[in-house]
Amino acid sequence: MTCQARSSYMDTEVLWGHRFTPVLTLEKDFYEVDYNSFHSTYETHTPVCCAKELAQSRREGQLLGPLPS
């Protein structure tokens, strides 16, 4: 079976605040791959700033507002 791996992406391909849907399940002592959801993502609660800015705002006691839903 052929497999393609990339280590860089275009900025239009990156979905901020998304994670890949799990594709591996353990079925009767072997792993099964669900290729139908291989490219599927789901949205997660993610800050709209970088980690450095988030840490700084927490140290200063500032609130950045609600996370996106």
Side-chain angles (χ1 to χ4, degrees):
M1 183 179 273
T2 306
C3 178
Q4 177 184 0
R6 295 195 310 186
S7 58
S8 64
Y9 297 89
M10 302 284 293
D11 61 344
T12 56
E13 296 175 305
V14 177
L15 299 175
W16 183 260
H18 286 247
R19 290 185 179 204
F20 283 106
T21 303
V23 295
L24 285 176
T25 56
L26 185 58
E27 301 288 333
K28 299 180 183 173
D29 296 330
F30 66 92
Y31 285 102
E32 185 174 326
V33 179
D34 179 9
Y35 290 103
N36 291 323
S37 60
F38 196 74
H39 296 285
S40 298
T41 63
Y42 61 95
E43 194 169 0
T44 61
H45 294 289
T46 306
V48 293
C49 62
C50 69
K52 181 180 178 181
E53 292 171 346
L54 183 61
Q56 182 179 359
S57 66
R58 285 183 176 164
R59 279 193 305 271
E60 295 171 356
Q62 298 173 353
L63 296 176
L64 295 176
L67 294 176
S69 57

